[in-house]
Amino acid sequence: MSAPASPEALRVAVFASGRGSNLQALHQAASSGELPIQIVGVFSDKADSGAIAYADAQHIACAHLDPKSFATREDFDVALMQKAAAVCPELIVCAGFMRIISESGIHAAPCPMINIHPSLLPKYPGLHTHARALAAGDGEHGASVHRVESVLDGGRILSQAKIAVLPDDSPEHLAERVLAIEHPLLIATVRAIADGRISLHDGADTRVSWLNHRLELE
């Protein structure tokens, strides 16, 4: 069960489609007092997602919306944002949310949104990032947290964590190693937002070199 949040805790909603490992990392960091946030809602496009199961087990408000129940992608996105708005979040974290949010959805969002993506953006937006990095012969790979904007994985980069690509890496092995750095990267970035060290306001310089340096993992 979630620990009581302080009045100053940043209210965070999470969008997720899969097993919810980043959600779990955020929730556990918040419950331990490491992260000054309160997860106020979890929302998914998949009824059987691990994220929904975890939220339900932890007594976190959660909801599933079936995209097939909506006439258009835009209708789904707006309905999703309305669900999220009901829990009054100050930040939405897309953590393994496997849908492209339309411009209508972005405009309907009740607060800023961030996303964690498994590549060193601007390299490899979209899918199959690990295989693409290997095919290109990259010497390093990693993960990025960026603000969700109208261009796919093209919003302003907030932070990155890097690992070396190993000679025997397969896409699956590389994916596992990147996932291991995604969790501390996301926690550190959300903490910096909650502490005011990263601003998500339009026009702000959201790159933070100290965070990039701290999370360059070998």
Coordinates of all heavy atoms in Angstrom, one line a residue, residues 12-107:
V12 N 1.5 12.8 -9.4 CA 1.9 12.1 -10.6 C 0.9 11.1 -11.1 O 0.5 10.3 -10.3 CB 3.3 11.5 -10.4 CG1 3.7 10.7 -11.7 CG2 4.4 12.5 -10.1
A13 N 0.5 11.2 -12.3 CA -0.2 10.1 -13.0 C 0.7 9.4 -13.9 O 1.6 10.0 -14.5 CB -1.4 10.7 -13.7
V14 N 0.5 8.1 -14.1 CA 1.3 7.2 -14.9 C 0.5 6.6 -16.0 O -0.6 6.0 -15.7 CB 2.0 6.1 -14.1 CG1 2.8 5.2 -15.0 CG2 3.0 6.8 -13.0
F15 N 1.0 6.7 -17.3 CA 0.4 6.0 -18.4 C 1.3 4.8 -18.7 O 2.5 5.0 -18.9 CB 0.3 6.9 -19.6 CG -0.7 8.0 -19.5 CD1 -0.8 8.9 -20.6 CD2 -1.5 8.1 -18.5 CE1 -1.7 10.0 -20.5 CE2 -2.5 9.2 -18.4 CZ -2.5 10.1 -19.4
A16 N 0.8 3.6 -18.8 CA 1.6 2.4 -19.1 C 0.8 1.4 -19.8 O -0.5 1.3 -19.6 CB 2.1 1.8 -17.8
S17 N 1.4 0.6 -20.7 CA 0.8 -0.4 -21.5 C 1.2 -1.9 -21.1 O 0.5 -2.8 -21.4 CB 1.0 -0.3 -23.0 OG 0.6 1.0 -23.4
G18 N 2.4 -2.0 -20.5 CA 3.0 -3.3 -20.3 C 3.1 -3.7 -18.8 O 2.2 -3.5 -18.0
R19 N 4.2 -4.3 -18.5 CA 4.3 -4.9 -17.2 C 4.4 -3.9 -16.0 O 4.2 -4.3 -14.9 CB 5.5 -5.9 -17.1 CG 6.9 -5.2 -17.5 CD 8.0 -6.2 -17.6 NE 9.2 -5.6 -18.1 CZ 10.3 -6.3 -18.3 NH1 10.4 -7.5 -18.1 NH2 11.4 -5.6 -18.8
G20 N 4.8 -2.7 -16.3 CA 4.8 -1.6 -15.3 C 6.0 -1.6 -14.5 O 6.0 -1.1 -13.3
S21 N 7.2 -2.0 -15.0 CA 8.4 -2.0 -14.2 C 8.8 -0.6 -13.8 O 9.3 -0.4 -12.7 CB 9.5 -2.7 -14.9 OG 9.9 -2.0 -16.1
N22 N 8.7 0.4 -14.7 CA 9.0 1.8 -14.3 C 8.0 2.3 -13.3 O 8.4 3.1 -12.4 CB 9.1 2.6 -15.6 CG 10.4 2.5 -16.3 OD1 11.4 2.7 -15.7 ND2 10.4 2.3 -17.6
L23 N 6.7 2.0 -13.5 CA 5.7 2.4 -12.5 C 6.1 1.8 -11.1 O 6.1 2.6 -10.1 CB 4.4 1.8 -12.9 CG 3.3 1.8 -11.8 CD1 3.0 3.2 -11.3 CD2 2.1 1.0 -12.2
Q24 N 6.5 0.6 -11.0 CA 6.9 0.0 -9.8 C 8.1 0.7 -9.2 O 8.2 0.9 -8.0 CB 7.2 -1.5 -9.9 CG 5.9 -2.3 -10.3 CD 6.3 -3.8 -10.5 OE1 7.0 -4.4 -9.7 NE2 5.7 -4.4 -11.5
A25 N 9.1 1.0 -10.0 CA 10.3 1.7 -9.5 C 9.9 3.0 -8.9 O 10.4 3.4 -7.9 CB 11.3 1.8 -10.6
L26 N 9.0 3.8 -9.6 CA 8.6 5.1 -9.1 C 7.9 4.9 -7.8 O 8.1 5.7 -6.8 CB 7.7 5.8 -10.1 CG 8.4 6.4 -11.4 CD1 7.3 6.9 -12.4 CD2 9.4 7.5 -11.0
H27 N 6.9 4.0 -7.8 CA 6.1 3.8 -6.6 C 6.9 3.4 -5.4 O 6.8 3.9 -4.2 CB 5.0 2.8 -6.8 CG 4.1 2.5 -5.7 ND1 4.1 1.4 -5.0 CD2 3.2 3.3 -5.1 CE1 3.2 1.4 -4.0 NE2 2.7 2.6 -4.0
Q28 N 7.9 2.5 -5.6 CA 8.7 2.0 -4.5 C 9.6 3.1 -4.0 O 9.8 3.3 -2.8 CB 9.5 0.8 -4.9 CG 8.6 -0.4 -5.1 CD 9.3 -1.6 -5.9 OE1 10.5 -1.5 -6.1 NE2 8.6 -2.6 -6.2
A29 N 10.1 4.0 -4.9 CA 10.9 5.1 -4.5 C 10.1 6.1 -3.7 O 10.6 6.7 -2.7 CB 11.6 5.8 -5.7
A30 N 8.9 6.3 -4.1 CA 8.0 7.2 -3.4 C 7.6 6.7 -2.0 O 7.6 7.4 -1.0 CB 6.7 7.5 -4.2
S31 N 7.3 5.4 -2.0 CA 6.9 4.8 -0.7 C 8.0 4.7 0.3 O 7.8 4.8 1.5 CB 6.4 3.3 -1.0 OG 5.3 3.3 -1.8
S32 N 9.3 4.7 -0.2 CA 10.4 4.6 0.8 C 10.8 6.0 1.2 O 11.7 6.2 2.1 CB 11.6 4.0 0.1 OG 12.1 4.8 -1.0
G33 N 10.3 7.1 0.6 CA 10.6 8.4 0.9 C 11.8 9.0 0.1 O 12.2 10.1 0.2
E34 N 12.3 8.2 -0.8 CA 13.3 8.6 -1.7 C 12.9 9.6 -2.7 O 13.7 10.5 -3.2 CB 13.9 7.4 -2.5 CG 15.0 7.7 -3.5 CD 15.4 6.5 -4.3 OE1 14.9 5.4 -4.0 OE2 16.2 6.7 -5.2
L35 N 11.6 9.6 -3.1 CA 11.1 10.4 -4.2 C 9.9 11.2 -3.6 O 8.9 10.6 -3.2 CB 10.7 9.5 -5.3 CG 10.3 10.2 -6.7 CD1 11.5 11.0 -7.2 CD2 10.0 9.1 -7.7
P36 N 9.9 12.5 -3.7 CA 8.8 13.3 -3.1 C 7.6 13.5 -4.0 O 7.3 14.6 -4.5 CB 9.5 14.7 -2.8 CG 10.5 14.8 -3.9 CD 11.0 13.4 -4.2
I37 N 7.0 12.3 -4.4 CA 5.8 12.3 -5.2 C 4.7 11.5 -4.6 O 5.0 10.6 -3.8 CB 6.1 11.8 -6.7 CG1 6.5 10.3 -6.6 CG2 7.3 12.6 -7.3 CD1 6.5 9.7 -8.0
Q38 N 3.5 11.7 -5.1 CA 2.4 10.8 -4.8 C 1.8 10.3 -6.2 O 1.5 11.2 -7.0 CB 1.3 11.5 -4.0 CG 0.1 10.6 -3.7 CD -1.0 11.3 -3.1 OE1 -1.0 12.6 -2.9 NE2 -2.1 10.6 -2.6
I39 N 1.8 9.0 -6.4 CA 1.2 8.5 -7.6 C -0.3 8.5 -7.4 O -0.8 7.7 -6.6 CB 1.8 7.1 -8.0 CG1 3.3 7.2 -8.3 CG2 1.0 6.6 -9.2 CD1 3.9 5.9 -8.6
V40 N -1.0 9.3 -8.1 CA -2.4 9.5 -7.8 C -3.3 8.8 -8.8 O -4.5 8.7 -8.6 CB -2.8 11.0 -7.9 CG1 -2.1 11.7 -6.7 CG2 -2.4 11.7 -9.2
G41 N -2.7 8.2 -9.9 CA -3.5 7.4 -10.8 C -2.7 6.7 -11.8 O -1.6 7.2 -12.2
V42 N -3.1 5.5 -12.3 CA -2.4 4.8 -13.3 C -3.5 4.5 -14.4 O -4.6 4.0 -14.1 CB -1.9 3.4 -12.7 CG1 -1.3 2.6 -13.9 CG2 -0.8 3.7 -11.7
F43 N -3.1 4.7 -15.6 CA -4.0 4.6 -16.8 C -3.4 3.8 -17.9 O -2.2 3.9 -18.2 CB -4.4 6.0 -17.3 CG -5.0 6.8 -16.2 CD1 -4.2 7.6 -15.4 CD2 -6.4 6.8 -15.9 CE1 -4.7 8.4 -14.4 CE2 -6.9 7.5 -14.8 CZ -6.1 8.4 -14.1
S44 N -4.2 2.9 -18.5 CA -3.6 2.0 -19.5 C -4.6 1.8 -20.6 O -5.8 1.9 -20.5 CB -3.3 0.6 -18.9 OG -2.7 -0.2 -19.8
D45 N -4.0 1.4 -21.8 CA -4.9 1.0 -22.9 C -5.1 -0.5 -23.0 O -5.7 -1.0 -23.9 CB -4.2 1.5 -24.2 CG -2.8 0.9 -24.4 OD1 -2.1 0.8 -23.4 OD2 -2.4 0.7 -25.6
K46 N -4.6 -1.2 -22.0 CA -4.7 -2.7 -21.9 C -5.2 -3.1 -20.6 O -4.6 -2.9 -19.5 CB -3.3 -3.3 -22.2 CG -2.8 -3.0 -23.6 CD -1.5 -3.7 -23.9 CE -1.0 -3.4 -25.3 NZ -1.9 -3.7 -26.4
A47 N -6.3 -3.8 -20.6 CA -7.0 -4.2 -19.3 C -6.1 -5.2 -18.6 O -6.2 -5.2 -17.3 CB -8.3 -4.8 -19.6
D48 N -5.3 -6.0 -19.3 CA -4.5 -7.0 -18.6 C -3.1 -6.6 -18.4 O -2.2 -7.5 -18.2 CB -4.6 -8.3 -19.4 CG -4.1 -8.2 -20.8 OD1 -3.8 -7.1 -21.2 OD2 -3.9 -9.2 -21.5
S49 N -2.8 -5.3 -18.5 CA -1.4 -4.9 -18.3 C -0.9 -5.1 -16.9 O -1.7 -5.1 -15.9 CB -1.3 -3.4 -18.6 OG -1.9 -2.6 -17.7
G50 N 0.4 -5.4 -16.7 CA 0.9 -5.5 -15.4 C 0.8 -4.2 -14.6 O 0.8 -4.3 -13.4
A51 N 0.8 -3.1 -15.3 CA 0.7 -1.8 -14.6 C -0.6 -1.7 -13.9 O -0.7 -1.2 -12.7 CB 0.9 -0.7 -15.6
I52 N -1.7 -2.1 -14.5 CA -3.0 -2.0 -13.9 C -3.1 -3.0 -12.7 O -3.6 -2.7 -11.6 CB -4.1 -2.3 -14.9 CG1 -4.3 -1.1 -15.9 CG2 -5.5 -2.6 -14.2 CD1 -4.8 0.1 -15.3
A53 N -2.5 -4.2 -12.9 CA -2.5 -5.2 -11.8 C -1.8 -4.7 -10.6 O -2.2 -4.9 -9.5 CB -1.9 -6.5 -12.4
Y54 N -0.6 -4.1 -10.9 CA 0.2 -3.5 -9.8 C -0.5 -2.4 -9.1 O -0.6 -2.4 -7.8 CB 1.6 -3.0 -10.3 CG 2.4 -2.5 -9.2 CD1 3.2 -3.3 -8.4 CD2 2.5 -1.1 -9.0 CE1 4.0 -2.8 -7.4 CE2 3.3 -0.6 -8.0 CZ 4.1 -1.5 -7.2 OH 4.9 -1.0 -6.2
A55 N -1.1 -1.5 -9.8 CA -1.8 -0.4 -9.2 C -3.0 -0.9 -8.4 O -3.2 -0.4 -7.3 CB -2.3 0.6 -10.3
D56 N -3.7 -1.8 -8.9 CA -4.8 -2.4 -8.1 C -4.4 -3.0 -6.8 O -5.0 -2.8 -5.8 CB -5.6 -3.4 -9.0 CG -6.9 -3.8 -8.4 OD1 -7.7 -3.0 -8.1 OD2 -7.1 -5.1 -8.2
A57 N -3.3 -3.8 -6.9 CA -2.7 -4.4 -5.7 C -2.2 -3.4 -4.7 O -2.3 -3.7 -3.5 CB -1.6 -5.4 -6.1
Q58 N -1.8 -2.3 -5.1 CA -1.2 -1.3 -4.2 C -2.3 -0.2 -3.9 O -1.9 0.8 -3.2 CB 0.0 -0.6 -4.9 CG 1.1 -1.5 -5.2 CD 1.8 -2.1 -3.9 OE1 1.8 -1.4 -2.9 NE2 2.2 -3.3 -4.0
H59 N -3.5 -0.4 -4.3 CA -4.6 0.5 -4.0 C -4.4 1.9 -4.5 O -4.7 2.9 -3.9 CB -4.9 0.5 -2.4 CG -5.0 -0.8 -1.8 ND1 -6.2 -1.6 -2.0 CD2 -4.2 -1.6 -1.0 CE1 -6.0 -2.8 -1.4 NE2 -4.9 -2.8 -0.8
I60 N -3.8 1.9 -5.7 CA -3.7 3.2 -6.4 C -4.8 3.3 -7.4 O -5.2 2.3 -8.1 CB -2.3 3.2 -7.2 CG1 -1.1 3.0 -6.2 CG2 -2.2 4.5 -8.0 CD1 0.2 2.8 -7.0
A61 N -5.5 4.4 -7.5 CA -6.6 4.6 -8.5 C -6.1 4.3 -9.9 O -5.0 4.7 -10.3 CB -7.0 6.1 -8.4
C62 N -6.9 3.5 -10.6 CA -6.4 3.1 -11.9 C -7.6 2.9 -12.8 O -8.8 2.7 -12.4 CB -5.6 1.8 -11.9 SG -6.4 0.4 -11.1
A63 N -7.4 3.0 -14.1 CA -8.5 2.8 -15.1 C -7.9 2.3 -16.4 O -6.7 2.6 -16.8 CB -9.2 4.1 -15.3
H64 N -8.7 1.5 -17.1 CA -8.3 1.0 -18.5 C -9.3 1.6 -19.4 O -10.6 1.5 -19.2 CB -8.3 -0.5 -18.5 CG -8.6 -1.1 -19.8 ND1 -9.8 -1.7 -20.1 CD2 -7.9 -1.1 -21.0 CE1 -9.9 -2.1 -21.4 NE2 -8.7 -1.7 -21.9
L65 N -8.8 2.1 -20.6 CA -9.7 2.5 -21.7 C -9.3 1.7 -22.9 O -8.2 1.6 -23.2 CB -9.5 4.0 -22.0 CG -10.2 5.0 -21.1 CD1 -9.5 5.1 -19.8 CD2 -10.3 6.4 -21.8
D66 N -10.4 1.1 -23.5 CA -10.1 0.3 -24.7 C -10.2 1.1 -25.9 O -11.2 1.7 -26.3 CB -11.3 -0.8 -24.8 CG -11.1 -1.7 -26.0 OD1 -10.1 -1.6 -26.7 OD2 -11.9 -2.6 -26.1
P67 N -9.0 1.3 -26.6 CA -9.0 2.1 -27.8 C -10.0 1.7 -28.9 O -10.5 2.6 -29.6 CB -7.6 1.9 -28.4 CG -6.8 1.5 -27.2 CD -7.7 0.7 -26.4
K68 N -10.4 0.4 -28.9 CA -11.4 0.0 -29.9 C -12.8 0.5 -29.6 O -13.7 0.4 -30.5 CB -11.4 -1.6 -30.0 CG -10.1 -2.2 -30.4 CD -10.2 -3.7 -30.4 CE -8.9 -4.3 -30.8 NZ -8.9 -5.8 -30.8
S69 N -13.0 1.1 -28.4 CA -14.3 1.6 -28.1 C -14.5 3.0 -28.6 O -15.6 3.6 -28.4 CB -14.5 1.6 -26.6 OG -14.4 0.2 -26.1
F70 N -13.5 3.6 -29.2 CA -13.5 5.0 -29.7 C -13.4 5.0 -31.2 O -12.7 4.2 -31.8 CB -12.4 5.8 -29.0 CG -12.5 5.9 -27.5 CD1 -12.0 4.9 -26.7 CD2 -13.2 6.9 -26.9 CE1 -12.1 4.9 -25.3 CE2 -13.3 7.0 -25.5 CZ -12.8 6.0 -24.8
A71 N -14.1 6.0 -31.8 CA -14.2 6.1 -33.2 C -12.8 6.5 -33.8 O -12.5 6.1 -34.9 CB -15.3 7.1 -33.6
T72 N -12.1 7.3 -33.1 CA -10.8 7.8 -33.6 C -9.8 7.8 -32.5 O -10.1 7.7 -31.3 CB -10.9 9.2 -34.1 OG1 -11.1 10.1 -33.0 CG2 -12.0 9.4 -35.2
R73 N -8.5 7.8 -32.9 CA -7.4 7.9 -32.0 C -7.5 9.2 -31.1 O -7.2 9.2 -29.9 CB -6.1 7.9 -32.8 CG -4.8 8.0 -31.9 CD -3.6 7.5 -32.7 NE -3.3 8.4 -33.8 CZ -2.4 9.4 -33.7 NH1 -1.7 9.6 -32.6 NH2 -2.1 10.2 -34.7
E74 N -7.9 10.2 -31.8 CA -8.1 11.5 -31.1 C -9.1 11.4 -30.0 O -8.9 11.9 -28.9 CB -8.4 12.6 -32.0 CG -7.3 13.1 -33.0 CD -7.0 12.1 -34.1 OE1 -7.9 11.2 -34.3 OE2 -6.0 12.2 -34.8
D75 N -10.2 10.7 -30.3 CA -11.3 10.6 -29.3 C -10.8 9.8 -28.1 O -11.1 10.1 -26.9 CB -12.5 9.8 -29.9 CG -13.3 10.7 -30.9 OD1 -13.1 11.9 -30.9 OD2 -14.1 10.1 -31.6
F76 N -10.0 8.7 -28.3 CA -9.4 8.0 -27.2 C -8.5 8.8 -26.4 O -8.6 8.8 -25.2 CB -8.6 6.8 -27.8 CG -7.8 6.1 -26.7 CD1 -8.4 5.1 -25.9 CD2 -6.5 6.4 -26.5 CE1 -7.7 4.4 -25.0 CE2 -5.7 5.7 -25.6 CZ -6.3 4.8 -24.8
D77 N -7.6 9.6 -27.1 CA -6.6 10.4 -26.3 C -7.3 11.4 -25.5 O -6.9 11.6 -24.3 CB -5.7 11.1 -27.3 CG -4.8 10.1 -28.0 OD1 -4.7 9.0 -27.6 OD2 -4.2 10.5 -29.0
V78 N -8.3 12.1 -26.0 CA -9.0 13.1 -25.2 C -9.7 12.5 -24.0 O -9.7 13.0 -22.9 CB -10.0 13.9 -26.1 CG1 -10.9 14.8 -25.2 CG2 -9.3 14.7 -27.1
A79 N -10.4 11.3 -24.2 CA -11.0 10.6 -23.1 C -10.0 10.2 -22.0 O -10.2 10.2 -20.8 CB -11.8 9.4 -23.6
L80 N -8.8 9.7 -22.5 CA -7.7 9.4 -21.6 C -7.3 10.6 -20.7 O -7.1 10.4 -19.5 CB -6.5 8.8 -22.3 CG -5.3 8.4 -21.6 CD1 -5.6 7.2 -20.7 CD2 -4.1 8.1 -22.5
M81 N -7.2 11.7 -21.3 CA -6.8 12.9 -20.6 C -7.8 13.3 -19.6 O -7.5 13.8 -18.5 CB -6.4 14.0 -21.6 CG -5.2 13.7 -22.5 SD -3.7 13.3 -21.5 CE -2.7 12.7 -22.9
Q82 N -9.1 13.1 -20.0 CA -10.2 13.5 -19.1 C -10.1 12.6 -17.8 O -10.3 13.0 -16.7 CB -11.5 13.4 -19.8 CG -11.7 14.5 -20.8 CD -13.0 14.2 -21.7 OE1 -13.5 13.1 -21.7 NE2 -13.4 15.3 -22.3
K83 N -9.8 11.3 -18.1 CA -9.7 10.4 -16.9 C -8.5 10.8 -16.0 O -8.7 10.8 -14.8 CB -9.4 9.0 -17.4 CG -10.6 8.2 -17.9 CD -11.5 7.7 -16.8 CE -12.6 6.7 -17.3 NZ -13.4 6.3 -16.1
A84 N -7.4 11.2 -16.7 CA -6.3 11.6 -15.9 C -6.6 12.9 -15.1 O -6.2 13.0 -14.0 CB -5.1 11.8 -16.8
A85 N -7.2 13.8 -15.8 CA -7.5 15.1 -15.1 C -8.3 14.9 -13.9 O -8.2 15.8 -12.9 CB -8.3 16.0 -16.1
A86 N -9.1 13.9 -13.8 CA -10.0 13.7 -12.6 C -9.2 13.4 -11.3 O -9.7 13.6 -10.2 CB -10.9 12.5 -12.9
V87 N -7.9 13.0 -11.5 CA -7.1 12.8 -10.3 C -6.2 14.0 -10.0 O -5.3 13.9 -9.1 CB -6.3 11.5 -10.4 CG1 -7.2 10.3 -10.5 CG2 -5.3 11.5 -11.5
C88 N -6.3 15.0 -10.8 CA -5.6 16.3 -10.5 C -4.1 16.1 -10.5 O -3.4 16.5 -9.5 CB -6.1 17.0 -9.3 SG -7.9 17.3 -9.2
P89 N -3.5 15.5 -11.6 CA -2.0 15.4 -11.5 C -1.3 16.7 -11.9 O -1.9 17.6 -12.5 CB -1.8 14.4 -12.7 CG -2.9 14.7 -13.6 CD -4.1 15.0 -12.8
E90 N -0.1 16.8 -11.4 CA 0.8 17.9 -11.8 C 1.8 17.5 -12.8 O 2.5 18.3 -13.4 CB 1.5 18.4 -10.5 CG 0.5 19.0 -9.5 CD 1.2 19.3 -8.2 OE1 1.5 18.3 -7.4 OE2 1.5 20.5 -7.9
L91 N 1.9 16.2 -13.0 CA 2.9 15.6 -14.0 C 2.3 14.3 -14.4 O 1.8 13.5 -13.6 CB 4.2 15.4 -13.4 CG 5.3 14.7 -14.3 CD1 5.7 15.7 -15.4 CD2 6.5 14.3 -13.4
I92 N 2.4 14.0 -15.8 CA 2.0 12.7 -16.3 C 3.3 12.1 -16.8 O 4.1 12.7 -17.5 CB 1.0 12.8 -17.5 CG1 -0.3 13.3 -16.9 CG2 0.9 11.5 -18.2 CD1 -1.3 13.6 -18.0
V93 N 3.6 10.8 -16.4 CA 4.7 10.1 -16.8 C 4.3 8.9 -17.7 O 3.5 8.1 -17.3 CB 5.5 9.5 -15.6 CG1 6.7 8.7 -16.1 CG2 6.0 10.6 -14.7
C94 N 4.7 9.0 -18.9 CA 4.5 7.9 -19.9 C 5.6 6.9 -19.7 O 6.8 7.2 -20.0 CB 4.4 8.4 -21.3 SG 3.1 9.5 -21.6
A95 N 5.3 5.7 -19.1 CA 6.3 4.7 -18.7 C 6.0 3.4 -19.4 O 5.2 2.6 -18.8 CB 6.4 4.6 -17.2
G96 N 6.4 3.2 -20.6 CA 6.0 2.1 -21.4 C 4.6 2.1 -21.9 O 3.9 1.1 -22.0
F97 N 4.2 3.4 -22.2 CA 2.9 3.6 -22.8 C 3.1 3.4 -24.3 O 3.7 4.3 -25.0 CB 2.3 4.9 -22.5 CG 0.9 5.1 -22.9 CD1 -0.1 4.3 -22.5 CD2 0.6 6.2 -23.7 CE1 -1.4 4.5 -22.8 CE2 -0.8 6.4 -24.1 CZ -1.8 5.6 -23.7
M98 N 2.5 2.4 -24.9 CA 2.9 2.0 -26.3 C 1.9 2.6 -27.3 O 1.5 1.9 -28.2 CB 3.0 0.5 -26.4 CG 4.0 -0.1 -25.5 SD 5.7 0.6 -25.7 CE 6.1 0.0 -27.4
R99 N 1.5 3.8 -27.1 CA 0.7 4.5 -28.1 C 1.3 5.9 -28.4 O 1.8 6.6 -27.5 CB -0.7 4.7 -27.6 CG -1.5 3.4 -27.5 CD -2.9 3.6 -27.0 NE -3.7 4.5 -27.9 CZ -4.3 4.0 -29.0 NH1 -4.3 2.8 -29.3 NH2 -5.0 4.9 -29.8
I100 N 1.1 6.3 -29.6 CA 1.5 7.7 -30.0 C 0.3 8.6 -29.6 O -0.8 8.4 -30.1 CB 1.8 7.8 -31.5 CG1 3.0 6.9 -31.8 CG2 2.1 9.3 -31.8 CD1 3.3 6.8 -33.3
I101 N 0.6 9.6 -28.8 CA -0.5 10.5 -28.3 C -0.6 11.6 -29.4 O 0.3 12.2 -29.8 CB -0.1 11.1 -27.0 CG1 0.0 10.0 -25.9 CG2 -1.2 12.1 -26.6 CD1 0.4 10.5 -24.6
S102 N -1.8 11.7 -29.9 CA -2.1 12.7 -30.9 C -2.0 14.1 -30.4 O -1.9 14.4 -29.2 CB -3.6 12.5 -31.4 OG -4.5 12.8 -30.4
E103 N -2.0 15.1 -31.3 CA -1.9 16.5 -31.0 C -3.1 16.9 -30.2 O -3.0 17.7 -29.2 CB -1.7 17.3 -32.2 CG -1.3 18.8 -31.9 CD -0.7 19.5 -33.1 OE1 -0.4 18.8 -34.1 OE2 -0.6 20.7 -33.0
S104 N -4.3 16.3 -30.5 CA -5.5 16.6 -29.7 C -5.3 16.2 -28.3 O -5.7 16.8 -27.3 CB -6.7 15.9 -30.3 OG -7.0 16.4 -31.6
G105 N -4.7 15.0 -28.1 CA -4.5 14.5 -26.8 C -3.5 15.3 -26.0 O -3.7 15.6 -24.8
I106 N -2.4 15.8 -26.7 CA -1.4 16.6 -26.0 C -2.1 17.9 -25.6 O -1.9 18.4 -24.4 CB -0.3 16.9 -26.9 CG1 0.5 15.5 -27.1 CG2 0.7 17.9 -26.4 CD1 1.6 15.6 -28.2
H107 N -2.9 18.5 -26.4 CA -3.6 19.8 -26.0 C -4.6 19.6 -24.9 O -4.8 20.5 -24.1 CB -4.3 20.4 -27.2 CG -3.4 20.9 -28.3 ND1 -2.2 21.6 -28.0 CD2 -3.4 20.9 -29.7 CE1 -1.6 22.0 -29.1 NE2 -2.3 21.5 -30.1

